[in-house]
Amino acid sequence: MNIETALYWLQEMLTAIIALAGPPLTGALVIGLSVAIFQAATSIQEMTLSYIPKMVVVVVILFFSFGFMLQYAIGFMERVFEIIPEVIN
């Protein structure tokens, strides 16, 4: 395996991480920021107020995007397993 191949697979791995972890993390970030602004505006400092909406949004995003995420992960792993014999030689 040469440097170009290693860099290609490193780039593919990072792209897969962003594609799979990005939507739930972005949803949690947006809701967390919204709740923080709401708490600052109303002076409500309840700690559990930020966790429940984040958990709900992450579950909803995972529910609706699980098909895409599963197909993406399976496709990525198939490509990884296909390249293994070439890397060994």
Side-chain angles (χ1 to χ4, degrees), residues 21-72:
L25 290 177
T26 303
L29 175 71
V30 168
I31 293 300
L33 185 61
S34 302
V35 169
I37 291 171
F38 174 74
Q39 284 180 330
T42 60
S43 297
I44 299 174
Q45 297 302 322
E46 180 65 30
M47 292 301 294
T48 59
L49 185 63
S50 64
Y51 291 115
I52 302 301
K54 282 186 207 176
M55 289 182 357
V56 169
V57 166
V58 168
V59 167
V60 167
I61 289 173
L62 287 175
F63 179 76
F64 285 113
S65 64
F66 187 72
F68 158 75
M69 295 171 118
L70 186 62
Q71 287 178 344
Y72 192 91

